[in-house]
Amino acid sequence: MKIGFLGLGNMGQAVAANLLKGGHELLVWNRSPGASQALVEQGATAVSEPAQAFAADVVFSMLADDKALRAVLLDSGLLKQLKGPLIHVNMATIAVAFADELAGLHAAQGVDYIAAPVMGRPNVAAAGKLNIIAAGSGQAIDTVQPLFDLIGTKTWHIGETPSSANVMKLAMNFMLVSAIEAMSEAAVLVTRHGLKSADLVELASSTVFPGPVYAGYGALIGERQYEPAAFKAVLGLKDVDLALAAAGQVSVHMPLADLVRAHLQDAMEHGQGEMDLAVLAEVAERRNPR
């Protein structure tokens, strides 16, 4: 296939590289052109404008947030210039309301819109082992499934309404951040009793909490290693805000999300927003002065 790809951050780079390995033609665009160079060396073609990336059969976008996606697609007038047959796969974690808006605007242009946020850190993306949460036209998803198979181990079909995938991803990210918050508080508890937080993490991840969250983020907490960030605290705050907004749409109260949001905001105020989410451990330390 001829594929367009917009957004070449750590995750986008890894996903795009795996599409290239599948033998597809790839047109890549990023706001900072330098990010395209590594992919160009692997055979991709860099384009100077987002519209050029849409001269394809399928376009993937993995832009940072709602604001970036709105600027590229809507404020520029680009979406109104598009027409089918074309499939747009948006892999970004965005607001549920914005996802509904995008679905309607794509449908008006005759363009298939698939929401496909992913689960996994950049190293998982590089290995082609992401979990993909996909929602949209079943026929369109079937068309791009061979591409999903290049970048992930499983595609979770959530339904025909694209925003359903965003709801599920926000719920998962909320659970992720909450788990890190729990580990951070528990780490302070054991260290104040003269124990090692690394031992707590090993015990937890080897018994009742196996898996990448407690083992991966727990290791960072145990080592107090927050850079380089695989998932920045500022992005965690963005996702918790989006989860709270989604909850507000259906009158759901999420008191734990309010607490985690306050702690992530504390990290921002202390200049730690660009550090890994595991930096919540430092927030827990600050909130429990000796």
Side-chain angles (χ1 to χ4, degrees):
M1 294 183 187
K2 189 175 183 180
I3 303 170
F5 203 104
L6 291 81
L8 301 173
N10 290 337
M11 290 292 289
Q13 286 263 0
V15 172
N18 282 326
L19 292 173
L20 268 177
K21 290 173 186 176
H24 298 284
E25 181 181 353
L26 199 64
L27 307 173
V28 296
W29 176 85
N30 194 69
R31 192 178 302 275
S32 302
S36 305
Q37 187 56 40
L39 291 166
V40 170
E41 292 172 0
Q42 297 172 54
T45 299
V47 297
S48 59
E49 298 293 336
Q52 295 171 289
F54 275 89
D57 305 307
V58 178
V59 177
F60 285 79
S61 59
M62 211 167 194
L63 299 168
D65 51 28
D66 292 38
K67 182 179 178 181
L69 188 57
R70 185 175 291 277
V72 170
L73 275 186
L74 305 188
D75 296 346
S76 67
L78 173 57
L79 184 53
K80 290 184 178 180
Q81 300 170 24
L82 303 180
K83 59 183 180 180
L86 173 66
I87 300 174
H88 176 202
V89 181
N90 180 23
M91 307 191 88
T93 302
I94 63 171
V96 174
F98 187 32
D100 285 331
E101 179 185 357
L102 285 173
L105 293 172
H106 280 74
Q109 299 299 124
V111 176
D112 285 307
Y113 177 72
I114 298 171
V118 299
M119 294 165 53
R121 292 161 71 95
N123 62 314
V124 176
K129 294 183 178 181
L130 294 169
N131 275 273
I132 303 163
I133 307 171
S137 160
Q139 183 177 354
I141 291 175
D142 287 344
T143 298
V144 300
Q145 188 60 55
L147 303 180
F148 286 162
D149 292 340
L150 291 172
I151 62 180
T153 55
K154 183 167 182 176
T155 301
W156 300 79
H157 294 262
I158 306 300
E160 295 274 329
T161 304
S163 62
S164 297
N166 297 104
V167 173
M168 196 67 76
K169 176 62 190 301
L170 290 172
M172 289 296 297
N173 277 13
F174 161 66
M175 293 170 67
L176 166 66
V177 178
S178 298
I180 297 171
E181 172 67 24
M183 282 190 285
S184 298
E185 294 182 21
V188 173
L189 173 63
V190 299
T191 55
R192 296 295 171 88
H193 279 275
L195 303 170
K196 296 179 180 179
S197 58
D199 291 342
L200 168 68
V201 170
E202 183 179 5
L203 175 62
S205 60
S206 300
T207 56
V208 294
F209 296 118
V213 174
Y214 282 85
Y217 289 96
L220 298 180
I221 290 171
E223 298 167 8
R224 302 178 78 103
Q225 178 184 335
Y226 314 122
E227 293 178 300
F231 188 1
K232 295 179 181 179
V234 66
L235 296 180
L237 176 60
K238 179 208 76 170
D239 289 353
V240 171
D241 280 339
L242 293 180
L244 285 167
Q249 288 179 239
V250 288
S251 301
V252 170
H253 299 288
M254 300 180 71
L256 181 55
D258 288 325
L259 181 145
V260 173
R261 186 193 184 284
H263 290 187
L264 286 167
Q265 189 61 49
D266 181 288
M268 303 305 114
E269 293 168 358
H270 285 82
Q272 297 170 322
E274 297 298 309
M275 294 183 181
D276 197 273
L277 267 176
V279 80
L280 279 171
E282 297 303 308
V283 177
E285 286 282 359
R286 277 196 297 272
R287 290 183 170 247
N288 291 280
R290 294 180 183 274

mmCIF file of all heavy atoms in Angstrom, residues 71-115:
data_model
loop_
_atom_site.group_PDB
_atom_site.id
_atom_site.type_symbol
_atom_site.label_atom_id
_atom_site.label_comp_id
_atom_site.label_asym_id
_atom_site.label_seq_id
_atom_site.Cartn_x
_atom_site.Cartn_y
_atom_site.Cartn_z
ATOM 1 N N ALA A 71 -5.116 21.496 14.603
ATOM 2 C CA ALA A 71 -4.382 22.453 13.778
ATOM 3 C C ALA A 71 -4.069 21.871 12.407
ATOM 4 O O ALA A 71 -4.233 22.541 11.376
ATOM 5 C CB ALA A 71 -3.095 22.875 14.486
ATOM 6 N N VAL A 72 -3.624 20.623 12.375
ATOM 7 C CA VAL A 72 -3.214 19.999 11.114
ATOM 8 C C VAL A 72 -4.400 19.671 10.220
ATOM 9 O O VAL A 72 -4.367 19.911 9.009
ATOM 10 C CB VAL A 72 -2.386 18.723 11.399
ATOM 11 C CG1 VAL A 72 -2.170 17.920 10.115
ATOM 12 C CG2 VAL A 72 -1.042 19.092 12.011
ATOM 13 N N LEU A 73 -5.483 19.147 10.808
ATOM 14 C CA LEU A 73 -6.603 18.677 9.997
ATOM 15 C C LEU A 73 -7.708 19.704 9.777
ATOM 16 O O LEU A 73 -8.236 19.831 8.668
ATOM 17 C CB LEU A 73 -7.235 17.447 10.655
ATOM 18 C CG LEU A 73 -6.635 16.084 10.371
ATOM 19 C CD1 LEU A 73 -7.498 15.000 10.999
ATOM 20 C CD2 LEU A 73 -6.500 15.822 8.887
ATOM 21 N N LEU A 74 -8.052 20.437 10.835
ATOM 22 C CA LEU A 74 -9.227 21.298 10.759
ATOM 23 C C LEU A 74 -8.892 22.764 10.518
ATOM 24 O O LEU A 74 -9.408 23.383 9.575
ATOM 25 C CB LEU A 74 -10.065 21.157 12.039
ATOM 26 C CG LEU A 74 -10.504 19.726 12.398
ATOM 27 C CD1 LEU A 74 -11.480 19.748 13.565
ATOM 28 C CD2 LEU A 74 -11.107 19.021 11.198
ATOM 29 N N ASP A 75 -8.052 23.326 11.372
ATOM 30 C CA ASP A 75 -7.742 24.759 11.238
ATOM 31 C C ASP A 75 -7.114 25.072 9.881
ATOM 32 O O ASP A 75 -7.300 26.160 9.335
ATOM 33 C CB ASP A 75 -6.799 25.208 12.363
ATOM 34 C CG ASP A 75 -7.434 25.096 13.741
ATOM 35 O OD1 ASP A 75 -8.674 24.929 13.804
ATOM 36 O OD2 ASP A 75 -6.705 25.145 14.741
ATOM 37 N N SER A 76 -6.384 24.125 9.342
ATOM 38 C CA SER A 76 -5.731 24.323 8.044
ATOM 39 C C SER A 76 -6.703 24.184 6.872
ATOM 40 O O SER A 76 -6.376 24.555 5.738
ATOM 41 C CB SER A 76 -4.617 23.287 7.867
ATOM 42 O OG SER A 76 -5.173 21.986 7.758
ATOM 43 N N GLY A 77 -7.864 23.599 7.133
ATOM 44 C CA GLY A 77 -8.822 23.329 6.062
ATOM 45 C C GLY A 77 -8.518 22.056 5.300
ATOM 46 O O GLY A 77 -9.199 21.734 4.313
ATOM 47 N N LEU A 78 -7.523 21.283 5.754
ATOM 48 C CA LEU A 78 -7.101 20.084 5.036
ATOM 49 C C LEU A 78 -8.219 19.056 4.923
ATOM 50 O O LEU A 78 -8.442 18.484 3.851
ATOM 51 C CB LEU A 78 -5.880 19.464 5.733
ATOM 52 C CG LEU A 78 -5.400 18.105 5.211
ATOM 53 C CD1 LEU A 78 -5.073 18.163 3.722
ATOM 54 C CD2 LEU A 78 -4.180 17.632 6.011
ATOM 55 N N LEU A 79 -8.930 18.802 6.010
ATOM 56 C CA LEU A 79 -9.945 17.754 5.987
ATOM 57 C C LEU A 79 -11.022 18.021 4.930
ATOM 58 O O LEU A 79 -11.506 17.097 4.267
ATOM 59 C CB LEU A 79 -10.580 17.593 7.368
ATOM 60 C CG LEU A 79 -11.600 16.458 7.532
ATOM 61 C CD1 LEU A 79 -11.026 15.125 7.066
ATOM 62 C CD2 LEU A 79 -12.054 16.359 8.975
ATOM 63 N N LYS A 80 -11.362 19.270 4.742
ATOM 64 C CA LYS A 80 -12.395 19.614 3.755
ATOM 65 C C LYS A 80 -11.921 19.387 2.320
ATOM 66 O O LYS A 80 -12.750 19.380 1.392
ATOM 67 C CB LYS A 80 -12.825 21.070 3.941
ATOM 68 C CG LYS A 80 -13.615 21.307 5.220
ATOM 69 C CD LYS A 80 -14.107 22.749 5.301
ATOM 70 C CE LYS A 80 -14.948 22.963 6.549
ATOM 71 N NZ LYS A 80 -15.442 24.367 6.648
ATOM 72 N N GLN A 81 -10.622 19.210 2.143
ATOM 73 C CA GLN A 81 -10.079 18.955 0.803
ATOM 74 C C GLN A 81 -9.997 17.467 0.490
ATOM 75 O O GLN A 81 -9.771 17.087 -0.660
ATOM 76 C CB GLN A 81 -8.674 19.558 0.694
ATOM 77 C CG GLN A 81 -8.600 21.056 0.919
ATOM 78 C CD GLN A 81 -7.157 21.553 1.035
ATOM 79 O OE1 GLN A 81 -6.232 20.915 0.529
ATOM 80 N NE2 GLN A 81 -6.961 22.670 1.713
ATOM 81 N N LEU A 82 -10.197 16.619 1.487
ATOM 82 C CA LEU A 82 -10.030 15.181 1.291
ATOM 83 C C LEU A 82 -11.284 14.550 0.708
ATOM 84 O O LEU A 82 -12.388 15.054 0.871
ATOM 85 C CB LEU A 82 -9.691 14.506 2.626
ATOM 86 C CG LEU A 82 -8.455 15.013 3.364
ATOM 87 C CD1 LEU A 82 -8.263 14.239 4.657
ATOM 88 C CD2 LEU A 82 -7.211 14.910 2.483
ATOM 89 N N LYS A 83 -11.090 13.425 0.049
ATOM 90 C CA LYS A 83 -12.223 12.670 -0.472
ATOM 91 C C LYS A 83 -11.831 11.196 -0.561
ATOM 92 O O LYS A 83 -10.655 10.840 -0.658
ATOM 93 C CB LYS A 83 -12.653 13.197 -1.840
ATOM 94 C CG LYS A 83 -11.581 13.157 -2.916
ATOM 95 C CD LYS A 83 -12.090 13.761 -4.216
ATOM 96 C CE LYS A 83 -11.003 13.730 -5.304
ATOM 97 N NZ LYS A 83 -11.487 14.314 -6.587
ATOM 98 N N GLY A 84 -12.853 10.348 -0.534
ATOM 99 C CA GLY A 84 -12.604 8.924 -0.600
ATOM 100 C C GLY A 84 -12.337 8.461 -2.021
ATOM 101 O O GLY A 84 -12.531 9.231 -2.966
ATOM 102 N N PRO A 85 -11.894 7.227 -2.208
ATOM 103 C CA PRO A 85 -11.640 6.259 -1.135
ATOM 104 C C PRO A 85 -10.321 6.559 -0.406
ATOM 105 O O PRO A 85 -9.285 6.742 -1.038
ATOM 106 C CB PRO A 85 -11.559 4.925 -1.871
ATOM 107 C CG PRO A 85 -11.080 5.292 -3.247
ATOM 108 C CD PRO A 85 -11.682 6.629 -3.554
ATOM 109 N N LEU A 86 -10.407 6.651 0.890
ATOM 110 C CA LEU A 86 -9.256 6.958 1.728
ATOM 111 C C LEU A 86 -9.587 6.514 3.145
ATOM 112 O O LEU A 86 -10.719 6.667 3.601
ATOM 113 C CB LEU A 86 -8.960 8.463 1.699
ATOM 114 C CG LEU A 86 -7.879 8.984 2.653
ATOM 115 C CD1 LEU A 86 -6.506 8.433 2.287
ATOM 116 C CD2 LEU A 86 -7.855 10.515 2.646
ATOM 117 N N ILE A 87 -8.611 5.949 3.814
ATOM 118 C CA ILE A 87 -8.771 5.551 5.217
ATOM 119 C C ILE A 87 -7.790 6.345 6.065
ATOM 120 O O ILE A 87 -6.590 6.360 5.782
ATOM 121 C CB ILE A 87 -8.516 4.041 5.409
ATOM 122 C CG1 ILE A 87 -9.496 3.211 4.571
ATOM 123 C CG2 ILE A 87 -8.641 3.665 6.889
ATOM 124 C CD1 ILE A 87 -9.204 1.717 4.590
ATOM 125 N N HIS A 88 -8.315 7.004 7.091
ATOM 126 C CA HIS A 88 -7.469 7.722 8.043
ATOM 127 C C HIS A 88 -7.495 6.969 9.365
ATOM 128 O O HIS A 88 -8.549 6.803 9.978
ATOM 129 C CB HIS A 88 -7.973 9.155 8.234
ATOM 130 C CG HIS A 88 -7.209 9.911 9.277
ATOM 131 N ND1 HIS A 88 -7.722 11.008 9.924
ATOM 132 C CD2 HIS A 88 -5.952 9.737 9.793
ATOM 133 C CE1 HIS A 88 -6.835 11.459 10.794
ATOM 134 N NE2 HIS A 88 -5.757 10.708 10.726
ATOM 135 N N VAL A 89 -6.332 6.516 9.791
ATOM 136 C CA VAL A 89 -6.186 5.800 11.065
ATOM 137 C C VAL A 89 -5.530 6.751 12.061
ATOM 138 O O VAL A 89 -4.350 7.085 11.922
ATOM 139 C CB VAL A 89 -5.318 4.533 10.899
ATOM 140 C CG1 VAL A 89 -5.192 3.801 12.229
ATOM 141 C CG2 VAL A 89 -5.904 3.615 9.831
ATOM 142 N N ASN A 90 -6.282 7.185 13.059
ATOM 143 C CA ASN A 90 -5.739 8.099 14.053
ATOM 144 C C ASN A 90 -5.333 7.306 15.291
ATOM 145 O O ASN A 90 -6.173 6.746 15.997
ATOM 146 C CB ASN A 90 -6.775 9.161 14.423
ATOM 147 C CG ASN A 90 -6.240 10.128 15.455
ATOM 148 O OD1 ASN A 90 -5.033 10.300 15.596
ATOM 149 N ND2 ASN A 90 -7.133 10.754 16.202
ATOM 150 N N MET A 91 -4.038 7.258 15.559
ATOM 151 C CA MET A 91 -3.512 6.467 16.673
ATOM 152 C C MET A 91 -3.287 7.298 17.926
ATOM 153 O O MET A 91 -2.841 6.773 18.953
ATOM 154 C CB MET A 91 -2.214 5.779 16.255
ATOM 155 C CG MET A 91 -2.337 4.972 14.974
ATOM 156 S SD MET A 91 -0.930 3.892 14.622
ATOM 157 C CE MET A 91 -1.434 2.426 15.525
ATOM 158 N N ALA A 92 -3.602 8.576 17.872
ATOM 159 C CA ALA A 92 -3.395 9.448 19.029
ATOM 160 C C ALA A 92 -4.469 9.214 20.085
ATOM 161 O O ALA A 92 -5.590 8.817 19.777
ATOM 162 C CB ALA A 92 -3.406 10.906 18.591
ATOM 163 N N THR A 93 -4.105 9.480 21.329
ATOM 164 C CA THR A 93 -5.070 9.457 22.430
ATOM 165 C C THR A 93 -5.692 10.847 22.516
ATOM 166 O O THR A 93 -5.021 11.804 22.913
ATOM 167 C CB THR A 93 -4.372 9.094 23.753
ATOM 168 O OG1 THR A 93 -3.736 7.814 23.614
ATOM 169 C CG2 THR A 93 -5.369 9.021 24.892
ATOM 170 N N ILE A 94 -6.956 10.943 22.116
ATOM 171 C CA ILE A 94 -7.618 12.253 22.063
ATOM 172 C C ILE A 94 -8.915 12.229 22.859
ATOM 173 O O ILE A 94 -9.378 11.173 23.291
ATOM 174 C CB ILE A 94 -7.900 12.682 20.606
ATOM 175 C CG1 ILE A 94 -8.870 11.708 19.928
ATOM 176 C CG2 ILE A 94 -6.595 12.790 19.812
ATOM 177 C CD1 ILE A 94 -9.363 12.186 18.572
ATOM 178 N N ALA A 95 -9.519 13.406 23.009
ATOM 179 C CA ALA A 95 -10.773 13.531 23.736
ATOM 180 C C ALA A 95 -11.885 12.775 23.022
ATOM 181 O O ALA A 95 -11.947 12.734 21.788
ATOM 182 C CB ALA A 95 -11.152 15.004 23.882
ATOM 183 N N VAL A 96 -12.782 12.210 23.808
ATOM 184 C CA VAL A 96 -13.900 11.458 23.250
ATOM 185 C C VAL A 96 -14.786 12.366 22.398
ATOM 186 O O VAL A 96 -15.194 11.993 21.288
ATOM 187 C CB VAL A 96 -14.713 10.801 24.384
ATOM 188 C CG1 VAL A 96 -15.971 10.133 23.835
ATOM 189 C CG2 VAL A 96 -13.848 9.777 25.127
ATOM 190 N N ALA A 97 -15.059 13.560 22.888
ATOM 191 C CA ALA A 97 -15.900 14.495 22.134
ATOM 192 C C ALA A 97 -15.238 14.876 20.813
ATOM 193 O O ALA A 97 -15.908 15.008 19.777
ATOM 194 C CB ALA A 97 -16.185 15.738 22.970
ATOM 195 N N PHE A 98 -13.928 15.059 20.824
ATOM 196 C CA PHE A 98 -13.205 15.410 19.598
ATOM 197 C C PHE A 98 -13.227 14.238 18.623
ATOM 198 O O PHE A 98 -13.337 14.424 17.413
ATOM 199 C CB PHE A 98 -11.780 15.815 19.938
ATOM 200 C CG PHE A 98 -10.991 16.366 18.777
ATOM 201 C CD1 PHE A 98 -11.598 17.077 17.757
ATOM 202 C CD2 PHE A 98 -9.613 16.175 18.697
ATOM 203 C CE1 PHE A 98 -10.871 17.595 16.687
ATOM 204 C CE2 PHE A 98 -8.873 16.682 17.645
ATOM 205 C CZ PHE A 98 -9.516 17.383 16.630
ATOM 206 N N ALA A 99 -13.129 13.024 19.140
ATOM 207 C CA ALA A 99 -13.187 11.838 18.282
ATOM 208 C C ALA A 99 -14.536 11.753 17.573
ATOM 209 O O ALA A 99 -14.607 11.418 16.383
ATOM 210 C CB ALA A 99 -12.942 10.578 19.105
ATOM 211 N N ASP A 100 -15.610 12.072 18.290
ATOM 212 C CA ASP A 100 -16.938 12.082 17.670
ATOM 213 C C ASP A 100 -17.031 13.158 16.586
ATOM 214 O O ASP A 100 -17.597 12.937 15.512
ATOM 215 C CB ASP A 100 -18.011 12.322 18.732
ATOM 216 C CG ASP A 100 -18.269 11.097 19.603
ATOM 217 O OD1 ASP A 100 -18.087 9.966 19.099
ATOM 218 O OD2 ASP A 100 -18.641 11.270 20.776
ATOM 219 N N GLU A 101 -16.446 14.321 16.876
ATOM 220 C CA GLU A 101 -16.438 15.401 15.899
ATOM 221 C C GLU A 101 -15.687 14.985 14.639
ATOM 222 O O GLU A 101 -16.163 15.190 13.510
ATOM 223 C CB GLU A 101 -15.795 16.652 16.512
ATOM 224 C CG GLU A 101 -15.725 17.842 15.561
ATOM 225 C CD GLU A 101 -14.969 19.032 16.150
ATOM 226 O OE1 GLU A 101 -14.546 18.950 17.330
ATOM 227 O OE2 GLU A 101 -14.785 20.023 15.423
ATOM 228 N N LEU A 102 -14.525 14.383 14.819
ATOM 229 C CA LEU A 102 -13.722 13.950 13.676
ATOM 230 C C LEU A 102 -14.444 12.887 12.853
ATOM 231 O O LEU A 102 -14.397 12.902 11.617
ATOM 232 C CB LEU A 102 -12.378 13.409 14.153
ATOM 233 C CG LEU A 102 -11.352 14.441 14.619
ATOM 234 C CD1 LEU A 102 -10.136 13.743 15.215
ATOM 235 C CD2 LEU A 102 -10.933 15.348 13.472
ATOM 236 N N ALA A 103 -15.113 11.967 13.513
ATOM 237 C CA ALA A 103 -15.826 10.910 12.797
ATOM 238 C C ALA A 103 -16.889 11.511 11.876
ATOM 239 O O ALA A 103 -17.034 11.106 10.715
ATOM 240 C CB ALA A 103 -16.458 9.938 13.784
ATOM 241 N N GLY A 104 -17.624 12.504 12.398
ATOM 242 C CA GLY A 104 -18.651 13.143 11.589
ATOM 243 C C GLY A 104 -18.080 13.912 10.417
ATOM 244 O O GLY A 104 -18.616 13.851 9.300
ATOM 245 N N LEU A 105 -16.992 14.614 10.638
ATOM 246 C CA LEU A 105 -16.379 15.406 9.583
ATOM 247 C C LEU A 105 -15.764 14.518 8.502
ATOM 248 O O LEU A 105 -15.829 14.844 7.312
ATOM 249 C CB LEU A 105 -15.307 16.330 10.175
ATOM 250 C CG LEU A 105 -15.832 17.447 11.091
ATOM 251 C CD1 LEU A 105 -14.679 18.166 11.782
ATOM 252 C CD2 LEU A 105 -16.678 18.439 10.289
ATOM 253 N N HIS A 106 -15.181 13.402 8.886
ATOM 254 C CA HIS A 106 -14.639 12.469 7.898
ATOM 255 C C HIS A 106 -15.766 11.854 7.062
ATOM 256 O O HIS A 106 -15.647 11.730 5.840
ATOM 257 C CB HIS A 106 -13.838 11.359 8.580
ATOM 258 C CG HIS A 106 -12.449 11.744 8.971
ATOM 259 N ND1 HIS A 106 -12.171 12.564 10.048
ATOM 260 C CD2 HIS A 106 -11.235 11.447 8.426
ATOM 261 C CE1 HIS A 106 -10.865 12.728 10.159
ATOM 262 N NE2 HIS A 106 -10.272 12.064 9.175
ATOM 263 N N ALA A 107 -16.844 11.471 7.748
ATOM 264 C CA ALA A 107 -17.971 10.858 7.033
ATOM 265 C C ALA A 107 -18.537 11.815 5.990
ATOM 266 O O ALA A 107 -18.914 11.402 4.887
ATOM 267 C CB ALA A 107 -19.049 10.446 8.029
ATOM 268 N N ALA A 108 -18.564 13.114 6.317
ATOM 269 C CA ALA A 108 -19.085 14.110 5.380
ATOM 270 C C ALA A 108 -18.235 14.202 4.128
ATOM 271 O O ALA A 108 -18.721 14.611 3.065
ATOM 272 C CB ALA A 108 -19.161 15.472 6.072
ATOM 273 N N GLN A 109 -16.957 13.817 4.233
ATOM 274 C CA GLN A 109 -16.045 13.853 3.081
ATOM 275 C C GLN A 109 -15.945 12.500 2.380
ATOM 276 O O GLN A 109 -15.203 12.359 1.411
ATOM 277 C CB GLN A 109 -14.644 14.279 3.546
ATOM 278 C CG GLN A 109 -14.562 15.657 4.176
ATOM 279 C CD GLN A 109 -14.994 16.759 3.224
ATOM 280 O OE1 GLN A 109 -15.895 17.540 3.525
ATOM 281 N NE2 GLN A 109 -14.381 16.824 2.051
ATOM 282 N N GLY A 110 -16.654 11.511 2.907
ATOM 283 C CA GLY A 110 -16.563 10.180 2.316
ATOM 284 C C GLY A 110 -15.266 9.459 2.641
ATOM 285 O O GLY A 110 -14.848 8.551 1.927
ATOM 286 N N VAL A 111 -14.639 9.867 3.752
ATOM 287 C CA VAL A 111 -13.366 9.286 4.174
ATOM 288 C C VAL A 111 -13.608 8.389 5.386
ATOM 289 O O VAL A 111 -14.261 8.793 6.350
ATOM 290 C CB VAL A 111 -12.349 10.390 4.534
ATOM 291 C CG1 VAL A 111 -11.050 9.783 5.079
ATOM 292 C CG2 VAL A 111 -12.057 11.263 3.317
ATOM 293 N N ASP A 112 -13.102 7.154 5.350
ATOM 294 C CA ASP A 112 -13.223 6.248 6.490
ATOM 295 C C ASP A 112 -12.297 6.703 7.612
ATOM 296 O O ASP A 112 -11.108 6.982 7.379
ATOM 297 C CB ASP A 112 -12.861 4.819 6.088
ATOM 298 C CG ASP A 112 -13.945 4.151 5.275
ATOM 299 O OD1 ASP A 112 -15.107 4.140 5.718
ATOM 300 O OD2 ASP A 112 -13.631 3.644 4.170
ATOM 301 N N TYR A 113 -12.831 6.758 8.826
ATOM 302 C CA TYR A 113 -12.050 7.192 9.988
ATOM 303 C C TYR A 113 -12.019 6.068 11.015
ATOM 304 O O TYR A 113 -13.056 5.584 11.463
ATOM 305 C CB TYR A 113 -12.662 8.449 10.603
ATOM 306 C CG TYR A 113 -11.955 8.926 11.854
ATOM 307 C CD1 TYR A 113 -10.696 9.513 11.776
ATOM 308 C CD2 TYR A 113 -12.544 8.779 13.112
ATOM 309 C CE1 TYR A 113 -10.040 9.943 12.925
ATOM 310 C CE2 TYR A 113 -11.901 9.217 14.261
ATOM 311 C CZ TYR A 113 -10.647 9.794 14.164
ATOM 312 O OH TYR A 113 -9.991 10.220 15.295
ATOM 313 N N ILE A 114 -10.815 5.645 11.350
ATOM 314 C CA ILE A 114 -10.611 4.614 12.352
ATOM 315 C C ILE A 114 -9.837 5.216 13.523
ATOM 316 O O ILE A 114 -8.786 5.846 13.322
ATOM 317 C CB ILE A 114 -9.810 3.430 11.788
ATOM 318 C CG1 ILE A 114 -10.562 2.757 10.637
ATOM 319 C CG2 ILE A 114 -9.502 2.407 12.882
ATOM 320 C CD1 ILE A 114 -9.719 1.708 9.900
ATOM 321 N N ALA A 115 -10.353 5.051 14.727
ATOM 322 C CA ALA A 115 -9.592 5.413 15.917
ATOM 323 C C ALA A 115 -8.836 4.163 16.352
ATOM 324 O O ALA A 115 -9.447 3.098 16.523
ATOM 325 C CB ALA A 115 -10.520 5.889 17.026
#
